[in-house]
Amino acid sequence: LKDKYWERIQENRNEEEYDKEESLNKLEKIVQLLSPKRRKILEMNYYEQKSYIEIAEALRISKNTVKNQLVKAKFIIRREME
């Protein structure tokens, strides 16, 4: 009984890892489809942990533009991940 239970847990873990990997691959593809400007803003915010103001200054755009681009990027990502 113990062995069967352990085997089932391992199967579930493997499925979860596969699903996670599949989701990450899909996310990466979606991000690559964003416009270069939108992708750069998203990367600066998420990967580099930069604030809206830091991004705006670095790219010489308004803070509002940064915010709007991130909102649009998140919308696209959510829509495509469904």
Side-chain angles (χ1 to χ4, degrees), residues 37-61:
K37 179 180 180 180
R38 196 170 284 162
R39 184 172 55 245
K40 178 68 175 166
I41 292 169
L42 184 74
E43 289 171 349
M44 290 176 79
N45 185 248
Y46 280 92
Y47 302 124
E48 298 174 27
Q49 300 290 304
K50 294 197 182 286
S51 70
Y52 290 8
I53 294 172
E54 290 172 318
I55 297 168
E57 289 173 355
L59 300 179
R60 297 181 181 208
I61 57 177

Side-chain angles (χ1 to χ4, degrees), residues 4-34:
K4 288 282 184 192
Y5 182 71
W6 182 250
E7 196 174 290
R8 195 168 193 185
I9 289 173
Q10 290 301 99
E11 286 175 9
N12 286 339
R13 280 187 185 160
N14 289 339
E15 286 176 23
E16 287 172 12
E17 286 176 20
Y18 177 78
D19 290 344
K20 183 178 177 182
E21 178 99 13
E22 193 174 288
S23 292
L24 288 173
N25 287 336
K26 187 174 182 180
L27 175 61
E28 191 174 308
K29 287 177 184 175
I30 295 167
V31 169
Q32 291 304 312
L33 294 175
L34 297 173

